[in-house]
């Protein structure tokens, strides 16, 4: 391989990397906008979202979940057992059964 062909190959690789960086920046901007829209939709509709980590027993709440339960956003994420007092007693058993079934089935 000659020095000229090595430079040409290097220039080609640099151009490919530049294109990948531009593409990833575009994807990042789309993700930021998507998250902004999700937050806005949740705020307007007064619905929140959450993820449960059964290993740590922690619920990761969206900002709107904190607003719904009138908790400061800086609060530590609640543990699963903590939310029992936040959910109406008539709703706890179906809620708990649904989550238990989802964890068992992996859905």
């Amino acid at each position: 391989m000659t020095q000229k062909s090595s430079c040409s190959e290097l220039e080609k690789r640099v151009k490919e990397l530049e294109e990948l960086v531009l593409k990833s920046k575009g994807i990042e901007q789309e993700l930021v906008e998507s998250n902004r829209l999700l937050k806005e939709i949740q705020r307007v509709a007064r619905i929140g979202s959450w993820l449960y980590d059964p290993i740590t027993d922690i619920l990761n709440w969206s900002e709107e979940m904190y607003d719904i339960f009138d908790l400061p956003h800086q609060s530590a994420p609640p543990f699963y057992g903590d939310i029992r007092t936040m959910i109406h007693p008539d709703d706890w058993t179906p809620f708990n059964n649904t989550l238990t079934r989802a964890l068992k089935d992996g859905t």
Side-chain angles (χ1 to χ4, degrees), residues 11-78:
E11 288 171 351
K12 180 181 172 188
R13 296 282 183 190
V14 167
K15 185 173 179 166
E16 289 172 356
L17 286 173
E18 287 172 344
E19 289 171 1
L20 284 173
V21 167
L22 286 174
K23 185 184 243 184
S24 69
K25 284 184 180 182
I27 292 169
E28 181 181 7
Q29 288 173 343
E30 289 175 11
L31 182 59
V32 167
E33 178 62 10
S34 178
N35 283 333
R36 187 193 68 74
L37 286 172
L38 176 61
K39 286 179 184 180
E40 180 66 12
I41 290 166
Q42 287 184 352
R43 184 189 65 76
V44 169
R46 290 286 296 164
I47 57 173
S49 59
W50 53 273
L51 295 171
Y52 174 59
D53 183 344
I55 294 170
T56 63
D57 196 42
I58 291 177
L59 291 162
N60 291 302
W61 281 5
S62 67
E63 290 178 16
E64 191 60 28
M65 288 294 290
Y66 286 95
D67 291 342
I68 290 168
F69 288 101
D70 200 27
L71 295 170
H73 291 217
Q74 299 81 11
S75 300

